[in-house]
Amino acid sequence: MNSTIIAPLAGTADVRPIHPLWMRITHWLNALAVVILTMSGWRIYDASPFFPFTIPPAITLGGWLGGALQWHFAAMWLLVFNGLLYLALNIFSGRLRRKFLPLSFKGVVHDLIEALQGRLSHANPRQYNHVQKLAYLFVVLDLIVIVLSGLVLWKSVQFPLLRQLMGGYEFARRIHFVGMAAMLAFVAVHLVMVALVPRTLLTMISGRAPKTL
């Protein structure tokens, strides 16, 4: 009797949310922060471009350099505190280990080939394939690089060692820009995958997979 109560019956559906509430809230707050940081960052870049192009003003935020900096700093604090909370909850809840490990080079190559040939299965929304694992872990590392390079740009004198590790102030600007470009590339691919598998968006909103596909 006791063993029947403790152990779930064979074939019983897992009723736990695919994405817990804290994960969904922090995910959308991170997404909001990235959008604001990107658009305001483009306006800041336009004030002193280091590549032979500028960003169209229509897709920037802030209207002028001072306004863009205010938006940028506000979103920066949102990203830092919300991102730290997101990372801490993932680590201490064990979700980081369950969702993203193990990860192997062989598995990434296999799943990448399957994805390019249109044969990669998305039958189980609770389980990430190796390409997804690598992409999400890359995003975490990329955000860390963006924040660290941003600190050099914001408080260069206060972080001399970090500035030196980044190759100096001007090189840190380029690292910051390339890091945001890499983030946008991930977002673009992510949106394409959402369009191909719409239920991933529904699970990120409700926490559960739709009953009908």
Side-chain angles (χ1 to χ4, degrees), residues 80-184:
V80 168
F81 288 116
N82 187 69
L84 287 174
L85 178 62
Y86 171 86
L87 187 59
L89 289 173
N90 266 285
I91 293 173
F92 292 114
S93 68
R95 184 178 182 276
L96 185 68
R97 175 181 52 80
R98 293 193 307 270
K99 289 287 188 179
F100 303 108
L101 298 176
L103 178 65
S104 68
F105 177 78
K106 182 178 179 180
V108 170
V109 172
H110 174 270
D111 286 352
L112 182 59
I113 293 174
E114 291 289 299
L116 292 175
Q117 294 177 346
R119 299 202 306 256
L120 192 60
S121 174
H122 298 279
N124 185 3
R126 295 184 181 276
Q127 183 177 354
Y128 291 149
N129 59 63
H130 280 75
V131 175
Q132 288 175 303
K133 292 178 182 179
L134 179 63
Y136 292 137
L137 290 175
F138 165 78
V139 167
V140 173
L141 295 176
D142 186 49
L143 285 173
I144 292 174
V145 171
I146 290 172
V147 170
L148 292 178
S149 59
L151 285 176
V152 173
L153 303 183
W154 179 40
K155 297 287 186 179
S156 181
V157 176
Q158 287 82 352
F159 297 98
L161 178 59
L162 185 57
R163 183 182 68 242
Q164 184 177 0
L165 291 174
M166 290 281 176
Y169 181 86
E170 285 300 323
F171 200 73
R173 287 187 68 202
R174 287 154 177 79
I175 292 176
H176 198 67
F177 187 93
V178 172
M180 287 304 300
M183 172 62 62
L184 291 181

